[in-house]
Amino acid sequence: MDHAAVLAHYDRDLRKDARPDGPDARIERTASVVRQVAGAHGWNGVLWSGLDAADADAAIAGQIEHYTALGRAFEWKLHGHDLPADLGSRLVAAGFTPEPEETLMVAETAEVIALTADAEPPEGVRVLRADGAAGVERVVEVHEKVFGADGGGLRHRLLTRLAADPGSLVAVVALAGDEAVSAARLEAVTGTRFAGLWGGGTLEHWRGRGLYRTLVAHRARAAAARGHRYLQVDALPMSRRVLERLGFHALTTTTPHLYGA
């Protein structure tokens, strides 16, 4: 993989030329910033910036003013190659709170499919598409248990997206009997090379049994069926180790910086 070329495609397709991620969201562009504005349950934040040391602080203040006027908390999605080099420090100085650093990882969809051709869930576990309200509820159930976070916003986003553009979202849940033990989703970005893997989580007592790999395999096949050449993940350290074995390459880092949350 040509890392520099793929990172340039990523910056253009998913950041500079970003599309809204739901029917209640819109993309706004200024000379130096691309941001999404959504409803209270949607994702609000800065996707891309083209700044330098001379204009960074003013741009940061401008985004704070913009979202504050809308009554929205928001995220500045900072990437490791964004400029100026001290942009993260400037965001913290302006009142943003950084979350743990993640690694942006990208793989060729075809390679992932080849490396997961033998992926199967453990005995007694079945993997289902969550394409309705009941399935979404199981996905949210896993999310809340694994990540310890309220799933109300996720529930709203999934149901809204499934209603408005069902082909762009594939949510899957693994069931052991009636218990939801793992879940994840694929968000396909129409008209781009990329589909994103998001929300992968497995209950602690089910980890180490191949569920994560199985759900990656399901989503890779769904991405291929939709014509996406690349899979993209913002990976935490535990996931990174597994993803490297599945053909994913680390391209840069990404650190969410939150304001008003």
Side-chain angles (χ1 to χ4, degrees):
M1 178 181 288
D2 183 335
H3 289 195
V6 174
L7 184 59
H9 290 321
Y10 169 87
D11 278 340
R12 182 171 62 250
D13 286 2
L14 300 186
R15 303 182 72 203
K16 295 178 185 178
D17 295 340
R19 297 156 174 78
D21 67 2
D24 61 347
R26 66 182 183 273
I27 298 295
E28 298 178 344
R29 293 176 170 84
T30 71
S32 59
V33 166
V34 176
R35 65 190 175 218
Q36 176 168 291
V37 174
H41 293 293
W43 186 85
N44 287 272
V46 174
L47 292 156
W48 175 86
S49 63
L51 305 172
D52 57 31
D55 64 4
D57 291 337
I60 292 168
Q63 301 315 303
I64 292 172
E65 180 180 1
H66 180 78
Y67 282 104
T68 300
L70 295 173
R72 297 282 185 267
F74 73 105
E75 173 186 329
W76 192 299
K77 192 171 176 62
L78 176 69
H79 288 72
H81 59 293
D82 289 344
L83 297 175
D86 64 348
L87 183 55
S89 299
R90 292 171 184 262
L91 290 169
V92 171
F96 286 79
T97 301
E99 292 203 320
E101 181 182 274
E102 301 167 332
T103 302
L104 171 65
M105 305 190 74
V106 175
E108 294 269 2
T109 304
E111 183 177 5
V112 175
I113 291 172
L115 291 171
T116 60
D118 62 344
E120 295 290 343
E123 184 177 354
V125 176
R126 63 194 193 280
V127 177
L128 303 176
R129 285 278 298 271
D131 52 7
V136 166
E137 204 58 43
R138 307 313 298 269
V139 172
V140 171
E141 177 186 335
V142 173
H143 175 85
E144 291 182 332
K145 289 179 179 178
V146 171
F147 300 107
D150 178 76
L154 176 63
R155 180 185 296 106
H156 173 83
R157 291 192 299 274
L158 294 183
L159 290 173
T160 300
R161 189 159 181 170
L162 283 171
D165 189 10
S168 70
L169 175 67
V170 176
V172 289
V173 60
L175 299 175
D178 291 329
E179 182 185 16
V181 298
S182 187
R185 66 187 187 275
L186 173 88
E187 296 186 6
V189 186
T190 304
T192 76
R193 305 165 179 85
F194 294 88
L197 304 185
W198 298 97
T202 301
L203 300 191
E204 186 172 2
H205 59 286
W206 277 92
R207 293 173 190 166
R209 305 195 203 184
L211 279 170
Y212 186 90
R213 185 169 180 265
T214 297
L215 296 191
V216 169
H218 274 258
R219 290 176 289 164
R221 291 193 293 270
R226 288 158 175 76
H228 296 283
R229 178 176 177 179
Y230 298 112
L231 295 171
Q232 168 258 318
V233 185
D234 293 345
L236 290 169
M238 182 181 297
S239 300
R240 177 174 176 171
R241 292 191 293 271
V242 178
L243 291 166
E244 285 173 340
R245 297 195 293 269
L246 301 181
F248 284 80
H249 299 254
L251 300 188
T252 186
T253 60
T254 177
T255 307
H257 283 67
L258 307 181
Y259 190 92

